[in-house]
Amino acid sequence: MSSGSRSPNGRDRRARSLAAGGLALAVVAELSSVGLLGLSGWFISACAVAGAATVSSFSYIAPSGGVRAFALARVAGNYSKRLVLHSAALRRIAAARADLFDRAAGADRAETDGLWSGELLDRSMADADSAGMALIESTTHVAVTAALTTGAVLAVAVSTSLVPAAVLAAGVVVMAVIAHRTPGTAREAEQHTRKALRAEFVTAVDAWTELASLGAAEQLAARTTARFTRLDIEREASARRRHRTTLATGLIGTATLTATAAAGSAPDAPTFVFVALLALGVLAQAEQLAPAAEARATAKAAHHRLTASAPHTASDTAVPEIRSWSTEHGIGFADYPLPPMALRPGSVLGASVARGATLVVTGRSGSGKSTLLRALASSLRQSTDARDGRPAVVAVSADDHLFTGTLGSNWRLADAAPTDDEIDEHLAQLRLNDSGLTATTPVGPGGRQLSGGELRRVCLGRALARHPHVLIVDEPTTGLDDRTARHVLGILTNLPDTTVVLALHDLPACLESAGHMTRLPLDHTSQDAS
């Protein structure tokens, strides 16, 4: 295969050709289905009329051959369209997902740092699925209905007159208008409510002991009942829309048959049956325009979210500007504006740390420690390239996350190579074996089966497994007793080839005499930044 055929433009052309072929096969399959329905009805009626007549010259050979031809075309068309359309839809989904990850990987870190949460990524993946499946759920139904209506109107006009053909065409247009006026976000709202209910049930089961001790069971039951009520209302609204569409189908079908019977030259019985079944097939397909309109609106909203310049989040994740640098000899930063909650707001801050040394940022809660670390991590990621296969910067936030699974599966997110025995050795270095934790220990949703101190040490160990050039840790001793905290701080401050930045409320006694350490207080006038 040539390099040109592998190009994005070549892939786009193949994807469009595949989609066009799938739509053509879908039209052939539905035309064959409706043709089979109408011709079969006409054939049966004609046979009955011929059998009732005393003398008849009716020939069954041509109509029976037509029935068989339509049946074979329907089977082949349906099978082929499924293969081709699903292949085209999967290509679109894969392309949307790849574009999503490309944008996430290539986005400006200063603008998107912290935005790509698990929940947001899950929603974005669902949006990619919705955008890709629009080909099957929306575009195909619209194209098939248009082609089917055109063919049926021509067939009715030729077999009877223009009046019933015009009534049938006008009826399909009316159904299209009804579908277009259908609230497009109805399905998305119902799916959102279902997702909220599932998430709440999973959370309630996992945290039932805490909820019971808080006396929150009644409030939770009331909130869940309200969501069930909302889901029932959304279902009833969808049912009413379906009933309106069914009623419109019946009225239009009746009007078409009435116009056929009242035509200038009344058709014979086989022709009347042919028109009735043909109209039924067309209107049954036209009923799919309503869900197609909802699918199109859902895909449109999903496409808008996927192509937005940056993901939307309710939280304020703005990162202050900071100038930083990283060399083989260490890191540094300057011109960092102290936030309003600091003791000297409006001043600028700076520091430098040698390679293998430690910078400890101290200050009371709300003094801006976490904000400084987040700004420094974002700035260093932009200005530093990974060297010798090691990541330039790894940051461990105060609320780092573990995925549902085992300790080993979470550890291997950082380094896929270690065996369970090797991971057990790393856990022992952090004294997690004292609690009986091993690589096969399940952590539960979000790490809920671990204590706060165990969760903190697992996240630290996972970061250490990456062997970064710069390790930034927010509150490394949260949930740890004094003995374990000293042990963990000893590990973090004795990494000879890693520059470490820590945020702590106060400088522990075990670090006051430590070498290769710089303290940066944010709220003490008695000490200045070194």
Side-chain angles (χ1 to χ4, degrees), residues 152-444:
V153 167
L154 291 175
V156 171
V158 170
S159 61
T160 56
S161 67
L162 292 176
V163 176
V167 172
L168 179 60
V172 174
V173 171
V174 170
M175 294 183 70
V177 171
I178 293 175
H180 181 72
R181 292 172 61 88
T182 300
T185 58
R187 185 174 67 170
E188 190 172 7
E190 183 175 341
Q191 291 175 346
H192 178 75
T193 304
R194 286 176 180 272
K195 180 180 177 181
L197 274 170
R198 286 195 299 268
E200 186 146 288
F201 274 125
V202 170
T203 304
V205 170
D206 188 52
W208 182 251
T209 303
E210 297 174 33
L211 293 172
S213 64
L214 290 171
E218 292 184 4
Q219 293 88 329
L220 179 63
R223 190 169 68 181
T224 304
T225 301
R227 284 181 172 163
F228 267 119
T229 302
R230 188 183 312 141
L231 182 60
D232 287 339
I233 293 173
E234 291 165 357
R235 285 175 173 173
E236 290 175 1
S238 298
R240 285 195 298 271
R241 287 192 295 273
R242 288 194 297 270
H243 292 158
R244 285 198 298 268
T245 303
T246 303
L247 178 61
T249 301
L251 293 175
I252 295 166
T254 302
T256 302
L257 296 180
T258 301
T260 302
S265 57
D268 54 17
T271 302
F272 186 83
V273 172
F274 169 74
V275 172
L277 293 177
L278 199 63
L280 179 63
V282 172
L283 295 174
Q285 177 59 41
E287 285 187 357
Q288 300 302 314
L289 291 176
E294 290 191 3
R296 179 179 178 276
T298 300
K300 186 177 180 180
H303 179 74
H304 175 73
R305 287 192 293 264
L306 287 171
T307 55
S309 58
H312 298 287
T313 179
S315 60
D316 181 11
T317 57
V319 178
E321 292 290 336
I322 187 173
R323 182 170 61 88
S324 67
W325 58 90
S326 176
T327 68
E328 294 183 358
H329 304 291
I331 66 168
F333 67 93
D335 302 330
Y336 177 72
L338 285 173
M341 70 283 291
L343 195 61
R344 303 183 300 278
S347 302
V348 294
L349 200 64
S352 60
V353 194
R355 179 180 178 181
T358 303
L359 171 67
V360 179
V361 181
T362 60
R364 67 185 186 281
S365 297
S367 60
K369 302 186 302 297
S370 298
T371 304
L372 171 58
L373 264 60
R374 190 165 62 247
L376 181 60
S378 177
S379 179
L380 286 173
R381 287 193 188 105
Q382 296 178 76
S383 61
T384 309
D385 295 326
R387 303 185 296 273
D388 55 38
R390 296 167 57 195
V393 183
V394 170
V396 182
S397 64
D399 54 352
D400 213 352
H401 183 78
L402 290 186
F403 291 90
T404 303
T406 64
L407 281 175
S409 64
N410 276 277
W411 197 281
R412 292 187 181 96
L413 291 173
D415 183 3
T419 64
D420 283 353
D421 290 339
E422 291 172 335
I423 292 175
D424 289 343
E425 291 179 7
H426 291 301
L427 295 176
Q429 291 174 3
L430 293 165
R431 295 183 177 174
L432 285 165
N433 60 329
D434 295 345
S435 305
L437 300 182
T438 67
T440 58
T441 301
V443 301

Side-chain angles (χ1 to χ4, degrees), residues 17-44:
S17 299
L18 201 62
L23 290 176
L25 288 170
V27 169
V28 169
E30 292 304 322
L31 284 174
S32 300
S33 296
V34 175
L36 176 63
L37 182 66
L39 183 58
S40 297
W42 179 90
F43 186 38
I44 293 171

Side-chain angles (χ1 to χ4, degrees), residues 458-483:
V458 170
C459 293
L460 287 173
R462 187 172 63 181
L464 289 170
R466 295 288 287 148
H467 304 294
H469 287 280
V470 180
L471 177 62
I472 299 176
V473 186
D474 193 0
E475 301 296 346
T477 59
T478 299
L480 304 181
D481 59 79
D482 291 341
R483 176 173 171 270

